[in-house]
Amino acid sequence: MPLRDTSAHHTSADRTFQVDLRGLVDLLSHHLYSSPRVYLRELMQNAVDALTARHALEPAASLGIRLYADGTVVRVEDDGVGLTEADVHTFLATIGRSSKRTEHIAEQRADFIGQFGIGLLSCFLVADEIHVLSRSARTPDAPAVEWRGRGDGSYTVRTLPASARPRPGTTVTLTPRADAGEWTRPAQVHALARHFGSLLRHPVTFDDGSGGPGVPVNPEPAPWALTHPTPGARSRALAAYGEEVFGFKPLDTIELDLPAVGLKGIACVLPEAVPAGRRHGHRVHVKGMLLSEQAEEILPDWAFFVRCVVDAESLRPTASRESLYEDDTLAAVRDALADRLRAWIARAAASDPELLHRFLQAHHLAVKSLAVHDDEILRMLLPWLPFETTDGHCTLDEFARTHRTVLVTSSVEEFRQVAAIASAAGLGVVNGGYTYDRELVHRLPEIRPEVTVADLDPATLTAHLDPVDRETELAAAAYLAQARDALAVFDCDVALRTFQPASAPALLVDSREARHERTRSQLAREQDGGLWGDILGALRQEAPRAQLILNQLNPLVRTAVAIDEPELARTSAEALYGQAAMLSRRPLRPAESSLINRSFLDLLAHALRKDS
């Protein structure tokens, strides 16, 4: 209805918005609820809340919920507090109002799952008509009342004799549409009831109309509420439940208990690593009713090595009741659960080395991300975390026993450039190129004060390479000059040394920072005189050069330095540079790829000319 300007009128009557119920239901189905299946959860939640209100009136009453589905109707019956005719007019005929907002129970709102008063609308996702029959427990002499709501927004209300509903409570009956059979056939209704209500505290039964007794939907209490003869039996029972819920055998289970918010549950440690940063959803129940299977927000980002199933009293659901509302309570719960996970890691480190080893084998990246920000975990686990080193994959504790000075690279490619030569030279180098590794290695002296940690730079490595004797240096001088001239385009110097292993013909020492600085200098030269030239020129430093270090112990190098033909000498130097660049495993620049191809073809052409 369009808005009208009433400023020119003396009076204006208030009007009520007209709600297009079909449009509202379409909005709910496409934007609020994830699937039509939530209709059954909403009906069960309403029933549980009615039982909660009835229990406040009659604490000793035996109350329950009964579900019925035979393919033609779906019915949910509860022994809850029920409604009077006035309640029906007030609550069922007003969109967005909740019966749980009445003065009688306002102070008990925390006892109720539903908070938004729109749950009944979800039934229109699967049916065109909702039939409600209710009798109030608060006003026992009030007649039963019948409400019929239709998808076009119309409804009828009438009172019935008490015999129509002998006991207090409410029965909601749906006649499913033909296109809703996927969600309303008996087997599916039973499965949905088990899915959403397996941990409910009130007894729930299901009847498929076959004439047999109702089948319990939630025959067992929550597994953490059961008693077991021994701690081992309890641990095995919780692990079996975790495997049933998540489909994997947990490496271990961690019991979660936060009495302040009424939270209980378990965290199942995944037996295998997961990609860094990938967060698993967790199963969150609120007062027994399943709220979400994908609640990422219950744990911090670093805890991607576990999956949780919890039941809580005080967590607040969003309007769709399919996720958690981000508030101070949720933040406090997240922090408290994080403390429980840290405590489990601490216990494993102190008393179960075998479990700790299996855990770190699978989840060292998650622990590294935690150790960066958590000093307690750092002190506890840093010596036991695996790293890639020149001694292979080992823990820092093992590595520090043989290397009192630990060198760390800033990238994976730098480690791969120097690993073999550094190992042969007796240097202890750790690959710091992986996420968190460099930062953590630099903190090793906090745990092992006798160890020194430093960044590896080219000067450190080349200082450990042995010089050749003067006669060899003079004999190779002409070749080295030709090689420097050939590789000047790459800002690369050439030197002759001896180092192990002898099978390595050359080592290319070139840091990422040096390459970036040379690229910037090149841009400054190309932009000379322009605005960018001035800016880049101001940033220009003395551009560090790469170094191609030839190994005099290698037979190929000894043959190359003896070449006296200038063109062949240049080609062989280019080939040695290309081989060293490929062995470094860093991405090749286009010019380097071109050089490798050209030098190979030139050597092939030279060999063919020689043979002819």
Side-chain angles (χ1 to χ4, degrees):
M1 182 177 68
L3 296 176
R4 296 167 53 194
D5 183 1
T6 61
S7 59
H9 299 274
H10 294 290
T11 61
S12 177
D14 288 340
R15 299 187 179 186
T16 302
F17 283 104
Q18 300 300 309
V19 176
D20 178 357
L21 189 58
R22 290 190 185 280
L24 182 58
V25 171
D26 183 69
L27 182 68
L28 294 179
S29 64
H30 288 93
H31 298 284
L32 185 64
Y33 296 124
S34 60
S35 163
R37 70 177 185 165
V38 300
Y39 83 92
L40 189 67
R41 184 199 64 197
E42 294 294 319
L43 289 178
M44 293 174 68
Q45 283 184 342
N46 287 343
V48 170
D49 288 340
L51 294 180
T52 303
R54 175 82 180 274
H55 183 73
L57 296 174
E58 306 171 44
S62 178
L63 309 174
I65 301 170
R66 294 164 293 282
L67 309 179
Y68 177 88
D70 63 359
T72 60
V73 298
V74 174
R75 187 163 61 239
V76 178
E77 180 180 355
D78 66 67
D79 300 318
V81 72
L83 300 169
T84 64
E85 182 181 4
D87 293 335
V88 167
H89 282 291
T90 301
F91 302 118
L92 297 190
T94 304
I95 302 300
R97 180 172 294 183
S98 171
S99 62
K100 294 172 284 293
R101 290 193 173 100
T102 63
E103 294 180 359
H104 300 285
I105 55 175
E107 69 279 2
Q108 300 170 357
R109 282 180 59 80
D111 295 332
F112 300 98
I113 303 171
Q115 300 281 324
F116 297 91
I118 58 175
L120 200 61
L121 285 181
S122 66
C123 296
F124 286 121
L125 300 177
V126 298
D128 288 326
E129 183 174 285
I130 305 170
H131 176 258
V132 177
L133 180 63
S134 188
R135 185 177 176 189
S136 175
R138 285 202 192 90
T139 313
D141 57 345
V145 59
E146 177 190 67
W147 178 89
R148 289 183 183 271
R150 289 170 285 276
D152 60 6
S154 62
Y155 70 93
T156 60
V157 179
R158 63 173 180 152
T159 58
L160 301 172
S163 59
R165 172 81 202 200
R167 295 185 300 175
T170 301
T171 302
V172 180
T173 305
L174 310 179
T175 302
R177 293 194 305 270
D179 61 355
E182 176 185 359
W183 309 110
T184 58
R185 61 179 183 267
Q188 180 70 304
V189 172
H190 186 209
L192 290 176
R194 288 276 301 163
H195 178 73
F196 290 121
S198 62
L199 299 186
L200 287 175
R201 291 85 184 265
H202 299 286
V204 183
T205 58
F206 172 77
D207 181 358
D208 63 2
S210 61
V215 179
V217 167
N218 52 344
E220 295 285 340
W224 42 84
L226 298 173
T227 58
H228 299 85
T230 65
R234 181 177 181 83
S235 179
R236 288 189 294 273
L238 293 178
Y241 178 74
E243 185 173 4
E244 177 187 347
V245 170
F246 295 124
F248 63 83
K249 186 175 183 180
L251 186 66
D252 197 13
T253 56
I254 308 165
E255 284 208 57
L256 306 174
D257 187 3
L258 305 178
V261 292
L263 183 146
K264 291 181 178 291
I266 58 172
C268 298
V269 182
L270 290 155
E272 297 177 350
V274 295
R278 176 174 147 195
R279 300 181 66 184
H280 283 293
H282 307 287
R283 289 177 64 95
V284 175
H285 299 251
V286 175
K287 303 176 182 67
M289 183 69 72
L290 179 64
L291 181 80
S292 174
E293 298 173 272
Q294 299 297 325
E296 296 181 353
E297 61 274 17
I298 195 74
L299 287 180
D301 291 348
W302 55 260
F304 53 82
F305 56 88
V306 297
R307 294 194 70 182
C308 294
V309 51
V310 299
D311 185 21
E313 294 286 336
S314 301
L315 293 179
R316 181 180 169 192
T318 59
S320 67
R321 289 179 250 180
E322 296 186 301
S323 59
L324 294 171
Y325 187 82
E326 188 69 46
D327 58 11
D328 291 342
T329 300
L330 179 57
V333 166
R334 186 162 47 235
D335 291 343
L337 292 180
D339 289 341
R340 298 297 188 276
L341 298 185
R342 291 189 186 94
W344 174 82
I345 295 174
R347 285 196 301 273
S351 60
D352 198 336
E354 195 274 332
L355 174 62
L356 179 68
H357 175 71
R358 288 189 289 131
F359 170 66
L360 291 179
Q361 268 192 323
H363 301 295
H364 59 271
L365 185 59
V367 177
K368 286 178 180 179
S369 69
L370 176 58
V372 167
H373 306 291
D374 190 307
D375 290 345
E376 182 181 353
I377 294 295
L378 178 80
R379 289 191 297 272
M380 191 187 313
L381 294 183
L382 181 59
W384 306 100
L385 290 172
F387 289 81
E388 185 179 7
T389 76
T390 46
D391 290 354
H393 283 83
C394 62
T395 67
L396 285 186
D397 200 54
E398 295 169 332
F399 195 64
R401 290 176 194 157
T402 54
H403 301 282
R404 285 293 182 252
T405 298
V406 175
L407 302 172
V408 58
T409 64
S410 60
S411 68
V412 174
E413 62 194 44
E414 288 174 6
F415 177 81
R416 288 170 177 168
Q417 285 179 40
V418 305
I421 287 85
S423 178
L427 295 176
V429 182
V430 178
N431 185 351
Y434 296 115
T435 307
Y436 312 118
D437 282 15
R438 183 167 175 265
E439 184 176 355
L440 288 172
V441 173
H442 271 286
R443 298 191 66 179
L444 181 60
E446 299 176 30
I447 317 300
R448 298 283 185 269
E450 70 278 9
V451 176
T452 301
V453 176
D455 287 325
L456 177 68
D457 59 49
T460 304
L461 181 65
T462 54
H464 284 77
L465 305 182
D466 296 326
V468 297
D469 59 69
R470 184 171 179 79
E471 290 183 3
T472 303
E473 183 83 31
L474 289 173
Y479 178 84
L480 294 177
Q482 293 281 357
R484 292 186 185 109
D485 185 60
L487 302 179
V489 66
F490 299 113
D491 289 312
C492 184
D493 194 10
V494 184
L496 187 64
R497 297 285 189 273
T498 63
F499 54 85
Q500 295 293 338
S503 58
L507 169 66
L508 182 59
V509 180
D510 190 17
S511 69
R512 180 183 300 175
E513 290 76 11
R515 292 197 301 276
H516 288 174
E517 180 59 34
R518 290 198 301 274
T519 301
R520 187 164 58 199
S521 298
Q522 178 64 28
L523 285 172
R525 288 194 295 270
E526 294 173 356
Q527 298 288 339
D528 192 24
L531 174 62
W532 281 109
D534 294 338
I535 295 173
L536 293 171
L539 297 173
R540 187 184 310 171
Q541 304 172 6
E542 183 65 31
R545 306 190 73 192
Q547 262 198 317
L548 180 67
I549 303 175
L550 304 179
N551 186 4
Q552 176 64 19
L553 299 179
N554 183 268
L556 176 60
V557 171
R558 288 201 299 270
T559 301
V561 298
I563 296 172
D564 55 8
E565 183 180 335
E567 197 60 36
L568 182 58
R570 291 174 62 90
T571 300
S572 66
E574 291 174 342
L576 288 168
Y577 176 91
Q579 183 183 25
M582 288 190 295
L583 289 175
S584 72
R585 301 187 191 180
R586 64 168 171 79
L588 296 176
R589 291 173 284 176
E592 291 172 331
S593 298
S594 177
L595 173 140
I596 292 171
N597 293 331
R598 186 179 68 251
S599 62
F600 175 77
L601 292 174
D602 287 349
L603 287 173
L604 185 60
H606 178 82
L608 291 174
R609 286 198 303 271
K610 184 176 181 181
D611 290 342
S612 61

